[in-house]
Amino acid sequence: FVGTTRGPYFCLVARSGEVLWQKDFEDKISGGSSFYESDGKSYVLVPCHDGYLYSLLAKDGSVKWKVDAQEPINATPAWSNDRVIFGCCDGKLRFVTTMGKKEKPVDLGSYLPSSPAVDGNVVYVASHGGQIFAIEISSAKKLWSFTDKEVEDFFGPPAISQKLLAAVDKRGNLFLV
């Protein structure tokens, strides 16, 4: 599954490159895809710069639902606890059910260009404003935030392993939280 900066999105056979299906979008796809299962079917989540998050049936690209985020989506959405989680240019972390129903977003105050990282019921997201946030998924409640005077904008996604969170800022400084 591959998106492009010109709008087309492709489902390809990995070994041969054969195109199984193609879906055209009105704007670029700059984030990666995520996948989830529902009702015995596989779906692909496609974040689009047109401000919509699309859920497509993986086998043929037909649209199950699309959600209007009203802002460009640049990062790969996460999926946990039957919720799709993604940030936008307006600084809001959004939650959508796998049925396409929007839930109340969490305003984090700064552009969220990177993909969220999920660990259990907690999602971690880094902001262009130089902060890292921990948000409880089930309640959409901020648990904590991290900032450091040395940080110059986080642009890449945080990584979590064995309760250690790592993030690299725009200048290449590594922060462990």
Side-chain angles (χ1 to χ4, degrees):
F1 295 87
V2 179
T4 68
T5 57
R6 295 187 184 210
Y9 186 84
F10 300 95
C11 176
L12 306 166
V13 175
R15 293 190 187 271
S16 68
E18 173 191 357
V19 176
L20 295 178
W21 54 261
Q22 174 182 334
K23 179 119 184 106
D24 292 318
F25 292 97
E26 295 198 22
D27 208 335
K28 66 184 175 182
I29 309 296
S30 56
S33 301
S34 296
F35 302 87
Y36 70 96
E37 302 254 340
S38 179
D39 302 323
K41 297 177 184 172
S42 295
Y43 295 91
V44 58
L45 296 166
V46 180
C48 190
H49 216 257
D50 67 1
Y52 286 92
L53 177 69
Y54 296 86
S55 173
L56 308 178
L57 188 58
K59 74 175 186 177
D60 65 12
S62 60
V63 177
K64 178 180 182 185
W65 51 258
K66 69 179 186 177
V67 170
D68 187 358
Q70 301 175 331
E71 290 286 329
I73 307 167
N74 288 310
T76 304
W79 181 76
S80 181
N81 297 347
D82 293 325
R83 286 182 181 82
V84 179
I85 308 157
F86 62 99
C88 288
C89 293
D90 62 358
K92 292 180 182 167
L93 186 66
R94 288 176 169 74
F95 298 86
V96 176
T97 70
T98 54
M99 297 306 295
K101 181 181 177 246
K102 291 196 282 188
E103 297 179 339
K104 185 178 177 183
V106 178
D107 191 348
L108 300 177
S110 182
Y111 171 39
L112 303 171
S114 66
S115 305
V118 174
D119 183 27
N121 190 39
V122 179
V123 60
Y124 302 91
V125 64
S127 78
H128 196 260
Q131 291 182 290
I132 299 172
F133 298 92
I135 310 293
E136 184 178 61
I137 296 169
S138 59
S139 67
K141 176 184 169 189
K142 286 186 212 176
L143 299 175
W144 55 261
S145 65
F146 165 83
T147 189
D148 186 292
K149 64 182 177 158
E150 299 296 318
V151 173
E152 184 181 317
D153 302 336
F154 289 111
F155 214 79
I160 185 150
S161 176
Q162 299 177 1
K163 305 299 177 192
L164 181 63
L165 183 74
V168 177
D169 75 357
K170 198 164 124 180
R171 293 181 297 175
N173 297 317
L174 173 65
F175 293 88
L176 301 174
V177 182

